[in-house]
Amino acid sequence: MGSRLRELSKNITIYGLGDVAVSIVSFLLLPVFVDYLDARDYGVLGVLGSIEVIGKIVFRFGLDGSFMRFFYDCETDDERRRLASTIFFFLLALNGAVLTPLLIGAPKIAGALFGTSAYTTALRLLLINTFAIGFTFLPFHVLRIERQSTIFSMLTLARSVMTIALRIVFVILLHMHVTGIYLADVLVTTGMMVALARWFAPLIRPVFSWTTLRETLGFGLPRVPHAGAQQVMAVGDRFILNMFAKMDDVGIYQIAVSFGLTEKLFLSAFESAWAPFYYATVREADAQRVFRTVTTYGFAVLVLLTAGLSATGRDLVQAMTHGRIMSPADPRWAAVSTVVTWTAVGVLLQGVYLLTSIGLNLTKQTQYYPIATSIAAATNVGLNFVLIPRFGMVGAAWANGACYAVQAVLGYCFSQRFYRISYEWSRVARISAAGLLAWAAARALPELRLAFVNPRSVMAALPDAVLRGATVVAVYAALLAVSGFFHAHELAALKAMWQRQRKPRVAGTPDSTELAGAIVATDVVATADDVAIEEPPAHSGWTSGGRRP
């Protein structure tokens, strides 16, 4: 059991490292790209990125998870090829039939979305890339099954490096603006498909099974509404904001949101380890106490990050964009600060959902996840239509925070019905109060504007960001310490529990379930629920050459 959980955690982490690396590098490149992309360009990227996220989910019909799950049920190489080929030809035919009219109608779609057909080429490139990348889960899953983590990691890193390099070439050197972003993506996907041909070749044969298709769709389709609802919550506000505001405002909103979402780097890393940890811990006698303590400390970290981003958000945006997106005198600066804050609060609430809804997985009541996410998504859409016309991008940020609050409350309530955990509400209250006070103390500090520094340079706002961030950490830690929050025995117990999970143990294998609040990145490939399943029996070996080991 312990070895399988370690393998699962390693595989998820390997994939996650690629996404985290891209996020960090892309974030650090923002000061460079703002010299070549204006606010309108960022608005277009926000809308196109939203289409891409939803398209990657819809184009797979949940069959990425089905392939991984049913692959382990196949007893012969011919059965595995029939499974892979059936999924491949189904996606090729259906998605191809959808892609063709979309490509033909791209000028009208671009005109409706952006008021001009100037972004038609970018839209077509996005659609082609989304179609092509929808097949890559087949070889990537084989790499997971073969446990070729080194090759998997190298391919992921190569994709990340090439994407960034080509975007720099097309956007900065060739001045292709938004089109350059998606041309780079198409070229990288093409190269990746060529590199993956070695693992594609043994899988695809001219065979098709309607029975296999029915079984895989029956397993995969229920995952689509849940994933779709999550993406509505994540990106739906861009579409609605585009209806009531200028594309420049959408671009500014997109940039502010990207800063608030930096908190997800921690949450994604934690999520990768959280599921195997609680599956392994649930059989321990003190499992509920451990879950309660982990939740308390996890919430404490999230509150610290939220307070820090809220206090430094506007300074960071100003430092990273160095006045290129908007003038320092632009009244929308106040809105930027609010958007960063409420985006960070939304991530905090996603973390609460992740921490407190584990009972649904542990008791196999995962049918409640799509209920929670669907209600939250409906809340998001409704509030966006109510708040955006009156408050603009600030209203979109409020709607974002509210929908994740609804999701967190519903996830907690559903989970408590089946697996009750008595959380430490008094300590949660102390954490919340400390976070608010730390944020208030940091925001109350006067601005540090150095006379010898160009107000448009990156360094202009960095002193403020550093000072406010340090103040948040110092005040927060001091308030928690004074209130008696830290317990030495808890810190020691948590350390021992994490170390204990690294030792082999004998126990049952958890069923395949969906990770609570799974974060789906723009590049949707395998999620945790695709691999949180039993290892194949000894007779079901498979190699890239189609031979038994």
Side-chain angles (χ1 to χ4, degrees):
M1 175 67 168
S3 62
R4 283 183 284 196
L5 289 175
R6 288 196 299 273
E7 188 71 23
L8 167 63
S9 180
K10 182 181 71 173
N11 283 342
I12 299 173
T13 302
I14 287 172
Y15 180 74
L17 285 176
D19 286 336
V20 170
V22 173
S23 298
I24 293 175
V25 174
S26 297
F27 179 77
L28 295 177
L29 284 174
L30 181 60
V32 178
F33 280 117
V34 294
D35 288 334
Y36 301 90
L37 299 172
D38 56 25
R40 180 177 177 80
D41 288 333
Y42 275 101
V44 171
L45 286 172
V47 174
L48 290 177
S50 302
I51 296 173
E52 185 177 17
V53 168
I54 296 173
K56 285 178 179 178
I57 294 173
V58 175
F59 270 23
R60 292 186 179 182
F61 297 92
L63 292 174
D64 47 344
S66 297
F67 175 70
M68 175 68 78
R69 181 63 184 88
F70 284 90
F71 193 96
Y72 287 150
D73 290 340
C74 297
E75 297 185 356
T76 67
D77 292 348
D78 287 340
E79 290 179 359
R80 297 184 189 95
R81 293 189 182 102
R82 182 167 58 248
L83 171 66
S85 299
T86 297
I87 291 175
F88 175 81
F89 287 118
F90 170 76
L91 293 178
L92 182 65
L94 187 58
N95 291 343
V98 173
L99 177 66
T100 301
L102 288 177
L103 292 177
I104 295 173
K108 292 184 178 179
I109 297 173
L113 290 173
F114 311 118
T116 175
S117 60
Y119 299 100
T120 298
T121 301
L123 177 59
R124 282 175 171 158
L125 289 170
L126 178 151
L127 293 170
I128 293 171
N129 185 65
T130 303
F131 170 79
I133 209 169
F135 300 100
T136 56
F137 69 83
L138 293 167
F140 271 123
H141 277 359
V142 171
L143 286 174
R144 289 177 183 270
I145 293 166
E146 292 182 348
R147 299 178 181 177
Q148 297 191 37
S149 57
T150 301
I151 296 176
F152 187 99
S153 180
M154 289 175 61
L155 288 171
T156 303
L157 180 60
R159 179 182 60 185
S160 304
V161 171
M162 290 304 299
T163 298
I164 293 170
L166 288 179
R167 285 182 175 182
I168 290 175
V169 170
F170 292 136
V171 175
I172 296 177
L173 299 182
L174 300 181
H175 303 281
M176 296 180 68
H177 302 282
V178 174
T179 301
I181 295 288
Y182 290 101
L183 178 58
D185 290 352
V186 169
L187 292 177
V188 170
T189 298
T190 301
M192 186 61 58
M193 297 290 281
V194 173
L196 291 171
R198 174 185 172 186
W199 292 274
F200 259 124
L203 291 172
I204 308 303
R205 294 291 186 273
V207 296
F208 187 87
S209 169
W210 287 104
T211 300
T212 299
L213 180 62
R214 285 194 297 269
E215 291 175 349
T216 52
L217 285 176
F219 180 89
L221 282 177
R223 301 171 64 244
V224 176
H226 175 58
Q230 286 184 314
Q231 297 314 308
V232 168
M233 295 161 61
V235 302
D237 48 5
R238 277 68 153 187
F239 291 103
I240 302 173
L241 184 61
N242 187 35
M243 297 178 185
F244 298 100
K246 297 178 180 179
M247 190 56 67
D248 287 6
D249 292 332
V250 179
I252 294 170
Y253 179 76
Q254 175 72 12
I255 291 174
V257 166
S258 69
F259 280 83
L261 289 178
T262 55
E263 189 174 337
K264 270 194 174 181
L265 296 178
F266 163 76
L267 192 58
S268 297
F270 175 80
E271 184 178 21
S272 296
W274 180 223
F277 177 79
Y278 66 66
Y279 275 132
T281 305
V282 69
R283 291 176 173 83
E284 302 287 341
D286 59 347
Q288 293 196 7
R289 181 177 64 84
V290 173
F291 296 152
R292 179 171 59 246
T293 304
V294 171
T295 298
T296 298
Y297 280 92
F299 182 70
V301 174
L302 287 168
V303 168
L304 173 61
L305 294 174
T306 302
L309 280 171
S310 300
T312 63
R314 189 172 70 175
D315 298 320
L316 289 173
V317 174
Q318 186 172 351
M320 297 296 284
T321 61
H322 44 83
R324 293 291 192 272
I325 296 298
M326 62 178 126
S327 165
D330 195 311
R332 289 176 294 185
W333 271 118
V336 166
S337 181
T338 303
V339 171
V340 173
T341 295
W342 282 97
T343 302
V345 169
V347 177
L348 165 66
L349 293 169
Q350 290 178 63
V352 173
Y353 175 66
L354 176 69
L355 287 163
T356 62
S357 65
I358 63 172
L360 298 179
N361 271 342
L362 295 175
T363 60
K364 302 178 183 179
Q365 300 294 331
T366 53
Q367 68 272 20
Y368 286 91
Y369 280 129
I371 296 175
T373 52
S374 296
I375 294 174
T379 301
N380 177 274
V381 173
L383 287 178
N384 272 308
F385 274 110
V386 171
L387 297 175
I388 287 177
R390 182 174 180 182
F391 300 103
M393 69 179 75
V394 171
W398 290 342
N400 179 76
C403 78
Y404 285 115
V406 169
Q407 183 187 44
V409 170
L410 290 176
Y412 166 80
C413 292
F414 289 150
S415 181
Q416 289 291 94
R417 289 180 58 188
F418 303 102
Y419 190 84
R420 182 169 293 277
I421 299 175
S422 300
Y423 293 104
E424 301 174 294
W425 296 114
S426 62
R427 300 179 77 189
V428 168
R430 275 181 277 173
I431 293 169
S432 302
L436 285 171
L437 290 174
W439 167 80
R443 289 308 308 170
L445 295 174
E447 290 189 354
L448 296 176
R449 289 292 183 261
L450 304 179
F452 57 87
V453 176
N454 185 334
R456 286 184 176 268
S457 72
V458 174
M459 292 300 298
L462 279 182
D464 283 313
V466 172
L467 179 60
R468 295 185 201 281
T471 300
V472 167
V473 173
V475 173
Y476 184 73
L479 289 173
L480 290 183
V482 170
S483 67
F485 172 81
F486 297 105
H487 298 167
H489 69 279
E490 287 181 348
L491 295 174
L494 283 174
K495 181 179 179 180
M497 281 298 301
W498 283 108
Q499 291 176 342
R500 199 182 339 174
Q501 303 312 316
R502 300 179 61 83
K503 299 178 181 179
R505 65 181 68 211
V506 179
T509 303
D511 288 343
S512 173
T513 51
E514 187 159 7
L515 209 65
I519 299 173
V520 183
T522 298
D523 190 8
V524 181
V525 187
T527 52
D529 55 312
D530 297 331
V531 291
I533 51 185
E534 296 185 8
E535 292 187 16
H539 62 269
S540 62
W542 175 267
T543 67
S544 60
R547 298 181 299 273
R548 302 295 176 100

